Amino acid sequence: MVKLQNRVVESFLDAPGPEIVAALLYGEDSGLVRERAARLAGAVVEDVSDPFRVAEVSQAMLKDDPSRLFDEMAAMSLTGGRRLVRLSPAGNAQSAAIQTVLDDSSITPDGSFLVVEAGSLAPRDSLRKLFESHQRGAAIPCYLDDDRSLEALIHQAMSGHGLTVEPSALAYLCENLGSDRQITRSELEKLALFKGRNGGAVTLAEAEA
């Protein structure tokens, strides 16, 4: 599968394609990587803390036991339903182990789903190339918010609290947020609480405070 474009990412996170058994989330915005990985995990299993349906795999585990990832993906859920396997953080050193999973037909879409989190990856990096070219994998880039997406996020966050944002306050927030999606959301939540529940427009002074 190719790298997913923004217009299809949202729907994929809520309902991964039936032919997909693994997804890679990567990019400069580590907060967005974590946010999207958590959302995708929630689409696979109802309770991401369920030890019978969720397995966490690390680089150290694979270094000591290269077949660990395949074994976790091949395991059956003791309580029924699809299993979730999470690998974080990942890099090119894990490409071979992941390819073994993607290539093996015994790993079926109704069995286990693999969510892989990584940092920035260049087009030539083996991990990114694997997911972008394999028909059973999906690559989801998580880039830093640009002005347009950041403005939309700010408006969305404030409207959820019954608030609007004055243009000067919006400009200030755009200049000072956007390097990490989770930090941005946290700061906007603090701003909404600071503004209070009386509604109205967030001012520049309130945003600065």
Side-chain angles (χ1 to χ4, degrees):
M1 193 171 186
V2 298
K3 179 175 67 176
L4 295 186
Q5 302 301 316
N6 284 335
R7 57 187 172 81
V8 298
V9 165
E10 294 300 312
S11 58
F12 179 87
L13 293 175
D14 292 329
E19 75 283 2
I20 302 299
V21 298
L24 167 69
L25 301 102
Y26 71 94
E28 302 94 334
D29 192 333
S30 59
L32 185 56
V33 168
R34 293 191 298 271
E35 179 180 294
R36 285 178 165 175
R39 182 173 165 188
L40 186 55
V44 178
V45 296
E46 296 81 7
D47 181 5
V48 295
S49 63
D50 184 347
F52 296 105
R53 294 183 61 188
V54 180
E56 303 277 351
V57 180
S58 67
Q59 291 182 357
M61 290 178 184
L62 294 183
K63 186 175 181 180
D64 294 336
D65 182 6
S67 64
R68 177 68 177 271
L69 185 65
F70 182 87
D71 293 342
E72 291 290 359
M73 287 292 290
M76 300 293 291
S77 172
L78 299 177
T79 57
R82 198 175 194 184
R83 291 185 77 251
L84 169 70
V85 179
R86 304 187 70 166
L87 173 57
S88 174
N92 292 329
Q94 287 73 53
S95 295
I98 296 171
Q99 182 159 6
T100 298
V101 168
L102 290 173
D103 288 344
D104 198 302
S105 60
S106 68
I107 306 297
T108 58
D110 60 348
S112 296
F113 190 92
L114 175 63
V115 174
V116 180
E117 297 177 47
S120 297
L121 295 172
R124 292 185 178 182
D125 279 317
S126 62
L127 185 60
R128 178 173 166 181
K129 288 174 65 176
L130 172 62
F131 276 89
E132 289 183 350
S133 62
H134 206 288
Q135 62 181 0
R136 303 216 303 165
I140 303 173
C142 299
Y143 301 127
L144 297 175
D145 283 309
D146 56 20
D147 289 344
R148 184 174 181 179
S149 62
L150 187 54
E151 285 186 10
L153 181 62
I154 292 169
H155 284 300
Q156 178 190 56
M158 293 301 103
S159 64
H161 291 272
L163 303 170
T164 58
V165 188
E166 291 185 355
S168 58
L170 179 63
Y172 175 82
L173 292 171
C174 287
E175 289 176 2
N176 290 275
L177 297 176
S179 60
D180 182 291
R181 176 64 70 88
Q182 289 188 330
I183 292 176
T184 296
R185 285 193 185 278
S186 176
E187 292 303 309
L188 291 175
E189 183 67 18
K190 291 177 185 177
L191 176 58
L193 293 175
F194 177 77
K195 176 66 176 177
R197 299 182 178 275
N198 296 325
V202 175
T203 66
L204 174 59
E206 289 168 334
E208 290 176 334

